[in-house]
Amino acid sequence: MLLRPLEHIFWEDTKTWLHGELEDGEKPRKLMLVLDEAHLYQGAMGTEVSMLIDRLRSVLSKDGKNPPIQVIITSASLGNDDSLKKLRDEFEQFYS
């Protein structure tokens, strides 16, 4: 979908909206990306997901400025607090 010409206008409109001028009193705009089943994003699948996120950031970047994206990761199978902290730390290190 990121490369197909049919959806190109969708991504261009989104980029224009994200980087556009704000109205008085308008909160900063951001794209909210929700990734479910986060416990699966490791190894080859994790690499593929990270490459898709990088491609999304590239498509929505304008004049060398990355788009504001808020990522929410969810999973019913993360286990204990230590595994959640490890996943969060790895994600923040890669995308900060």
Side-chain angles (χ1 to χ4, degrees):
M1 185 172 174
L2 290 170
L3 298 175
R4 295 189 308 202
L6 181 64
E7 284 90 7
H8 184 72
I9 189 68
F10 172 78
W11 300 113
E12 284 299 314
D13 287 350
T14 302
K15 181 190 325 186
T16 301
W17 176 77
L18 282 170
H19 296 283
E21 294 288 325
L22 298 176
E23 301 282 328
D24 288 336
E26 183 181 0
K27 292 182 179 180
R29 299 172 185 158
K30 63 184 169 188
L31 179 71
M32 188 175 297
L33 178 63
V34 179
L35 302 173
D36 194 15
E37 301 299 336
H39 63 281
L40 299 174
Y41 304 146
Q42 48 188 308
M45 183 182 273
T47 300
E48 290 179 19
V49 170
S50 70
M51 291 172 70
L52 284 171
I53 294 171
D54 284 343
R55 178 72 181 138
L56 177 64
R57 284 173 42 177
S58 174
V59 166
L60 296 177
S61 293
K62 184 175 182 179
D63 300 327
K65 182 179 176 191
N66 282 332
I69 299 177
Q70 178 179 356
V71 180
I72 298 173
I73 57 174
T74 65
S75 177
S77 305
L78 280 176
N80 60 28
D81 289 340
D82 291 338
S83 62
L84 177 59
K85 182 181 181 330
K86 179 182 175 194
L87 179 63
R88 186 184 67 226
D89 291 346
E90 289 174 3
F91 194 85
E92 286 176 351
Q93 179 182 10
F94 191 78
Y95 287 105
S96 56

